[in-house]
Amino acid sequence: MPDIGFVNGRFMPLEEATVSVEDRGFQFGDGIYEVIRTYHGKPFQLDAHLARFERSAKAIELSLPWSVHQWATHVRDGITRSGYAESKVYLQLTRGAAPRDHVFPASAKPTAVMTVREMKPMDSAIQTSGVAVMTMDDWRWGRCDIKSVNLLANVMARQKAKQAGAFEALFIRNGQVTEGAVSNVMMVKAGRVLTAPEGERILSGVTRTIVLELAHKEGLPVEERFVSSDEFLRADEIFLTGTTVEVLPVIRVDGKAIGPGGSGKPGPVTKRLQAAFQRLVG
Ligand code: PLP
């Protein structure tokens, strides 16, 4: 079976899936999305992803065309149809197609899109060695808690990171570290795990929640508060969390080595949480 497309309730090969040029997702970024991966062929944390999808929809005053239960059925159906050992499911809902006008259209029907593609796991060598990141101004809008398809700032940030030879861009707003362009970020200081609090400044990651729960289970103290970029650079350890990156050690920030004693190597707490996460999904 090829990659799967789905538009407004109908499955088809991905290359046949199309939406109108007047779709408000295309013209305004007026829509929301989710990315869900499978482990052992089963969608991981599907309920949490769909709950966030529902929250994002509500925040932009968009009604979901189906119940969360029906969405879950579509997602599972898509995964089965794809036949891949592991799949990556992309869900998107926009305010639909209508003549271009910023104001919500009176009668447009939302456009629901899903794609299912093969999920290729991250290179295990990178998971082991860790990655370099660069910091930059958080130039996104004020509602980063909404998983909006309006990703231009994230796209620009990731491109700049790539050009600088970094894996991820980490955003700094008013001197405080918020999150990555496609991930949440956590630091470890004196055995404590610190990460930005939930709220409008970050996307509350599904993986973030899981990793914080794992930290509690491992007996690691957790603090959800903002840290300044100075404090961040003095971290004992730093790591990213996210659906695609899982738990990924950061070994360099803006060229400065991070890790025990400035070693530029993943630290013990990161490795512990990484192992706990792998046990959970394995
Ligand atoms: N923060 C941002 C800006 C993201 O785009 C993502 C994932 O796409 C995350 C955090 C991590 O979220 P999750 O763990 O739900 O994948």
Side-chain angles (χ1 to χ4, degrees):
M1 186 73 192
D3 292 333
I4 301 291
F6 166 102
V7 182
N8 294 329
R10 212 163 60 79
F11 282 101
M12 60 201 81
L14 182 55
E15 61 274 18
E16 287 172 23
T18 55
V19 295
S20 165
V21 292
E22 289 210 300
D23 195 275
R24 292 175 63 91
F26 177 58
Q27 294 197 344
F28 295 112
D30 185 0
I32 54 159
Y33 76 105
E34 279 297 322
V35 177
I36 303 153
R37 72 185 286 171
T38 63
Y39 288 101
H40 305 290
K42 302 226 161 40
F44 182 63
Q45 292 288 317
L46 181 57
D47 291 351
H49 281 285
L50 291 176
R52 185 172 65 189
F53 198 49
E54 203 173 22
R55 278 201 308 278
S56 295
K58 194 161 176 229
I60 68 162
E61 297 174 40
L62 187 57
S63 308
L64 295 186
W66 303 295
S67 69
V68 162
H69 180 74
Q70 285 167 318
W71 279 100
T73 303
H74 290 316
V75 169
R76 291 204 176 90
D77 194 0
I79 290 167
T80 305
R81 284 167 187 259
S82 79
Y84 292 126
E86 300 295 3
S87 323
K88 185 172 178 176
V89 180
Y90 175 78
L91 291 184
Q92 178 177 301
L93 184 70
T94 74
R95 211 175 303 277
R100 192 177 184 284
D101 181 0
H102 286 65
V103 175
F104 295 174
S107 62
K109 192 171 143 284
T111 306
V113 164
M114 171 164 64
T115 66
V116 186
R117 314 186 77 133
E118 186 172 16
M119 176 77 208
K120 301 209 177 75
M122 222 183 156
D123 187 345
S124 64
I126 295 176
Q127 285 279 2
T128 308
S129 63
V131 295
V133 301
M134 73 181 285
T135 61
M136 64 183 72
D137 268 352
D138 195 343
W139 50 16
R140 299 173 301 163
W141 70 329
R143 291 299 307 273
C144 302
D145 55 321
I146 301 172
K147 202 160 168 68
S148 151
V149 294
N150 223 310
L151 287 172
L152 184 57
N154 307 55
V155 166
M156 301 285 293
R158 276 230 118 190
Q159 181 61 21
K160 272 178 188 279
K162 185 177 178 198
Q163 283 161 353
F167 174 84
E168 172 68 308
L170 295 186
F171 291 124
I172 312 286
R173 195 182 292 239
N174 302 326
Q176 296 175 318
V177 180
T178 54
E179 63 179 333
V182 298
S183 60
N184 291 114
V185 63
M186 302 194 183
M187 67 172 258
V188 181
K189 190 71 190 175
R192 302 179 84 76
V193 178
L194 287 93
T195 194
E198 287 186 307
E200 295 181 355
R201 290 289 174 250
I202 66 159
L203 181 79
S204 177
V206 169
T207 322
R208 174 189 180 278
T209 303
I210 299 283
V211 171
L212 292 183
E213 282 169 14
L214 290 173
H216 282 298
K217 282 192 192 137
E218 293 283 318
L220 296 162
V222 169
E223 260 183 77
E224 292 178 64
R225 68 163 171 88
F226 285 110
V227 300
S228 68
S229 32
D230 287 348
E231 188 179 359
F232 188 68
L233 284 174
R234 292 196 303 272
D236 295 333
E237 302 175 35
I238 295 174
F239 57 93
L240 308 175
T241 68
T243 295
T244 51
V245 299
E246 302 179 309
V247 176
L248 185 61
V250 170
I251 50 164
R252 220 162 259 285
V253 177
D254 296 336
K256 179 182 183 287
I258 305 290
S263 60
K265 296 219 166 76
V269 173
T270 305
K271 285 196 208 161
R272 224 166 114 190
L273 289 170
Q274 216 177 15
F277 187 82
Q278 287 309 322
R279 277 197 303 277
L280 178 76
V281 299

